[in-house]
Amino acid sequence: MVLKIFFPQCCNMADSGLLIGRWLPGHDSAVVLAVIHYPFIPGQVKKYLSQMRSETDVDLTVLGSWSMPKEGQEGMDSFLKDLSTIFPHNRWLKISREVGKSGFHCDMVGNEGTLFTDKSKGKDESIPNGEKDGGDNGGSKKIIFIHYDQRKVMLSQLHPVHEAIQNSKAEPSELRAMFQTVSHSQALFFLDRYDDGPLKTTHWQSEGREASIVVELLKQGSVPLCMLITWMLSVWHWICGIRILNTRPIQFISSKLSTCVQLGHRTEHLQTVASPKKATGHMDFMRKANIFVSFFVDMALGLLLISWLYRENRIGQFANTLVPVADHVAKELQELLQWLMGAPAGLKMNKALDEVLGRFFLYHIHLWISYIHLMSPFIEMILWYVGLSACLGLTFALSVLSDIVALLTFHIYCFYVYGARLYCLKIYGLASLWRLFRGKKWNVLRQRVDSCSYDLDQLFIGTLLFTILLFLLPTTALYYLVFTLLRLVVVLFQGLIHLSVDLINSFPLFAMGLRVCRPYRLAEGVKFRVLTQEPGTPLHLLMEINPIKCSTVVQFYRTPTYSCYPRDSWGALCKKLFVGELIYPWRHKSSTKMD
């Protein structure tokens, strides 16, 4: 049988004393957490362990004794040996270290005085009570020391490799139980050598706990700041609860504006960060930290954008450029319509329908340019106030930019809707009339195609309509194709903006910072390497932490958020474009089942 002892590296040179730790239930393993130095009073040690059990919810106990030779402590071994009769135990470890050797000697005493030896010593020890262990080779055990960095294990979070392990209700594995034991024993590490107490211990913080005046001031200042944010959010919810703002037209418009959606999203983030409830677990803490860092970075980028916009009168330059650009776009669209009203690419179009559609779209362009010129004196002032939205974050500025692009290209959207509706009407009309020729019809109630008999008048009218729609289809399809391509260019540009906003909102900056600066904080597993293997001593292994991959960090800690991705697949999207159904880019993932 193999006995594994997880031993902290910070205790390798500790003074002689008692080993404090825990026996892992269901495993033949022990986790050493600290060493209590001599001199001590056994009653004070029992009282201290009882207090630690209530504070840590960990079954802490005295695992055994630790002997480190030192001048003036020649009788320490016999004193520590007698302590096994004072502290209740099932197994008692006697670990000692000789000067000049890196390996340890270890013996284990059973609850009835049975002595179990390490097989690696190559010698047989006597068994005082004549009892044999149930393992191989009588009372001998293979003892392995696993040295670990207590600070890294204390601060790390061991992630499951598979989802089945995470969702299973079975007992945790030996390695996970070891990590949980160290992380839940935080109260045990508060006692350091500078405390004037009856006990002196050695652990990863025994040299003095780290502290920062800046961190303490931030903790003290975060309480009134969170109260202020909570009050401001309550006022904002009261404003949003006004009856006139909850009418259906206003709710419909606000749900389609990217700025309003982003404002609601950031409000939820502020509620999460400013919540007085303490984080209940690792995932809750990481979510709050990622949201806070994302909000901080967003605000910083927004302030940088403001400092760039309002320097050297760039707002005025943009305003002076906007009207000429709008005129240029209108001129290009007019030339495009003139080209379509002629013989585009040598195609023979229906002259009457071509003239009607061309004049109809030209009139829309004329209306839109007149509106832009009417608003031109106020554009600079509008842009000046709109640019201040960047003080709420770069995501707000990008959302406002997306809405401005949507408003400036509204005429293109109208052209696309007109062309798509007309094209879709002809496609479905041709499909229905084609079923008429084959003696079929669409059953609306049963959602299927059934057989049907038609008379001569119905067949004559159907043939006439089919011929008209078929010969008018190329002209309609050409206009639909041109304006659909223009609309897709606008949607692509808005999609890039929305992707940028989504990236800032959801990217786990805090978790990625931990992965880069302190990779041991997010552990995927561990690896072992042989530390020393001296003759007559147990095997010593060093446990090192394997950090999780960066892609796993992004996938695991990504903040759920809305997205501009269409709810349909690429195949369904192409099918909609072919039959002329409208593509609505404002459908978000929040309306579908999120992964």
Side-chain angles (χ1 to χ4, degrees):
M1 297 182 67
V2 178
L3 173 65
K4 293 182 283 296
I5 302 175
F6 292 91
F7 200 87
Q9 290 180 297
C10 56
C11 296
N12 286 346
M13 301 299 295
D15 295 337
S16 300
L18 295 176
L19 297 173
I20 304 300
R22 178 195 180 197
W23 291 100
L24 298 182
H27 305 283
D28 202 10
S29 304
V31 180
V32 178
L33 298 174
V35 176
I36 297 182
H37 302 160
Y38 177 83
F40 52 80
I41 300 176
Q44 294 176 342
V45 175
K46 293 181 180 180
K47 182 180 179 180
Y48 176 69
L49 290 179
S50 178
Q51 178 184 357
M52 289 297 104
R53 292 191 194 100
S54 61
E55 294 182 6
T56 61
D57 294 332
V58 178
D59 188 18
L60 297 176
T61 184
V62 179
L63 299 177
S65 62
W66 164 258
S67 178
M68 182 70 181
K70 195 175 181 182
E71 295 182 3
Q73 296 183 357
E74 288 76 8
M76 184 60 64
D77 292 340
S78 60
F79 171 75
L80 295 175
K81 181 178 180 181
D82 296 336
L83 290 177
S84 60
T85 59
I86 300 178
F87 295 97
H89 66 280
N90 293 328
R91 290 174 289 184
W92 183 268
L93 297 175
K94 296 193 303 182
I95 304 177
S96 61
R97 181 174 183 178
E98 297 181 3
V99 179
K101 288 189 177 181
S102 58
F104 303 161
H105 292 286
C106 180
D107 292 323
M108 185 178 68
V109 181
N111 56 354
E112 298 182 359
T114 307
L115 177 64
F116 304 105
T117 62
D118 180 20
K119 291 195 298 184
S120 63
K121 292 182 179 181
K123 59 181 181 180
D124 295 331
E125 299 283 350
S126 60
I127 303 176
N129 291 348
E131 298 182 4
K132 298 287 185 180
D133 183 36
D136 54 346
N137 197 14
S140 298
K141 279 182 178 291
K142 178 70 173 180
I143 298 178
I144 299 177
F145 280 92
I146 302 177
H147 297 262
Y148 68 96
D149 191 326
Q150 198 171 51
R151 177 177 178 271
K152 292 183 178 181
V153 174
M154 176 68 196
L155 300 177
S156 65
Q157 173 68 26
L158 186 63
H159 289 260
V161 180
H162 302 288
E163 186 177 359
I165 300 177
Q166 183 181 8
N167 298 331
S168 64
K169 298 182 180 179
E171 291 293 330
S173 63
E174 180 181 20
L175 189 60
R176 187 168 298 278
M178 179 263 178
F179 270 75
Q180 292 176 355
T181 299
V182 179
S183 62
H184 292 168
S185 304
Q186 185 175 2
L188 183 67
F189 305 135
F190 286 164
L191 188 66
D192 57 36
R193 67 175 185 174
Y194 299 103
D195 293 328
D196 296 331
L199 300 177
K200 300 296 182 181
T201 59
T202 294
H203 47 74
W204 71 284
Q205 289 196 121
S206 58
E207 295 299 323
R209 297 188 298 272
E210 298 179 0
S212 174
I213 298 178
V214 177
V215 173
E216 294 298 326
L217 291 177
L218 290 176
K219 289 181 180 179
Q220 297 296 328
S222 62
V223 177
L225 180 61
C226 290
M227 294 178 62
L228 176 62
I229 294 176
T230 304
W231 178 79
M232 294 174 62
L233 290 176
S234 63
V235 174
W236 172 251
H237 281 293
W238 176 79
I239 295 175
C240 294
I242 297 176
R243 189 170 183 178
I244 192 174
L245 296 179
N246 291 325
T247 56
R248 190 168 183 178
I250 294 180
Q251 286 186 344
F252 177 80
I253 295 174
S254 62
S255 64
K256 302 301 179 284
L257 293 177
S258 301
T259 305
C260 296
V261 175
Q262 176 63 19
L263 185 61
H265 193 67
R266 278 305 187 194
T267 302
E268 295 179 2
H269 282 178
L270 286 176
Q271 287 178 338
T272 302
V273 174
S275 175
K277 297 173 60 177
K278 190 177 181 181
T280 56
H282 172 74
M283 291 301 300
D284 194 14
F285 168 76
M286 293 296 292
R287 181 171 179 268
K288 284 189 174 183
N290 286 325
I291 290 176
F292 176 77
V293 175
S294 174
F295 183 78
F296 180 78
V297 172
D298 187 21
M299 293 287 291
L301 294 176
L303 293 177
L304 289 176
L305 179 61
I306 286 181
S307 65
W308 181 78
L309 282 176
Y310 291 90
R311 189 186 305 163
E312 299 178 1
N313 194 26
R314 288 191 173 91
I315 294 290
Q317 296 176 8
F318 288 153
N320 296 331
T321 307
L322 185 60
V323 175
V325 169
D327 290 337
H328 179 71
V329 172
K331 181 180 178 181
E332 293 294 332
L333 286 176
Q334 289 174 350
E335 292 180 357
L336 177 63
L337 289 174
Q338 294 291 344
W339 178 70
L340 291 176
M341 292 171 64
L347 298 176
K348 185 175 180 59
M349 313 295 291
N350 185 279
K351 188 66 176 177
L353 181 61
D354 198 9
E355 288 289 335
V356 171
L357 292 178
R359 291 178 180 179
F360 177 75
F361 291 133
L362 284 174
Y363 181 68
H364 274 71
I365 294 176
H366 174 71
L367 289 178
W368 186 253
I369 291 301
S370 300
Y371 173 74
I372 292 294
H373 282 280
L374 181 65
M375 294 294 295
S376 58
F378 310 99
I379 288 179
E380 183 176 357
M381 182 178 63
I382 294 174
L383 291 179
W384 196 90
Y385 286 106
V386 166
L388 295 178
S389 63
C391 65
L392 299 177
L394 180 62
T395 54
F396 280 93
L398 293 176
S399 300
V400 171
L401 177 62
S402 176
D403 293 334
I404 291 176
V405 170
L407 292 175
L408 292 178
T409 59
F410 185 71
H411 55 303
I412 296 179
Y413 176 72
C414 292
F415 296 164
Y416 164 69
V417 172
Y418 299 151
R421 289 302 186 190
L422 188 60
Y423 175 78
C424 181
L425 178 63
K426 291 187 178 182
I427 289 294
Y428 280 100
L430 288 172
S432 179
L433 294 174
W434 177 250
R435 285 193 294 267
L436 183 142
F437 292 152
R438 296 184 296 128
K440 305 287 185 180
K441 73 171 184 178
W442 175 255
N443 192 327
V444 180
L445 295 178
R446 298 189 178 184
Q447 295 293 309
R448 69 182 185 184
V449 178
D450 295 334
S451 299
C452 181
S453 59
Y454 299 96
D455 54 23
L456 291 177
D457 294 338
Q458 291 174 329
L459 291 174
F460 174 74
I461 294 176
T463 304
L464 182 62
L465 292 177
F466 182 84
T467 304
I468 295 174
L469 293 179
L470 182 62
F471 282 100
L472 293 180
L473 181 63
T475 303
T476 307
L478 183 61
Y479 276 88
Y480 168 70
L481 175 63
V482 171
F483 291 120
T484 299
L485 293 177
L486 292 176
R487 177 60 183 166
L488 289 179
V489 171
V490 176
V491 170
L492 179 61
F493 180 73
Q494 287 184 292
L496 293 177
I497 296 177
H498 291 167
L499 283 176
S500 303
V501 174
D502 184 72
L503 179 64
I504 298 175
N505 286 332
S506 62
F507 191 77
L509 292 173
F510 180 78
M512 188 59 67
L514 285 182
R515 173 59 181 84
V516 174
C517 300
R518 294 186 177 182
Y520 59 85
R521 291 290 299 270
L522 305 175
E524 185 179 33
V526 298
K527 60 183 179 181
F528 300 93
R529 64 180 179 88
V530 177
L531 190 62
T532 180
Q533 192 174 10
E534 298 178 353
T537 60
L539 176 64
H540 290 259
L541 301 178
L542 178 62
M543 184 179 72
E544 298 177 346
I545 296 178
N546 281 333
I548 60 178
K549 300 178 181 178
C550 294
S551 58
T552 308
V553 173
V554 176
Q555 181 181 3
F556 198 81
Y557 292 105
R558 185 178 183 270
T559 305
T561 180
Y562 77 93
S563 179
C564 62
Y565 306 132
R567 60 186 300 176
D568 302 308
S569 63
W570 287 106
L573 183 63
C574 294
K575 180 181 178 181
K576 283 188 174 183
L577 291 174
F578 180 76
V579 299
E581 294 185 14
L582 295 180
I583 306 299
Y584 297 100
W586 54 71
R587 290 183 178 177
H588 299 138
K589 279 185 178 179
S590 57
S591 61
T592 61
K593 182 178 179 182
M594 295 186 66
D595 296 333

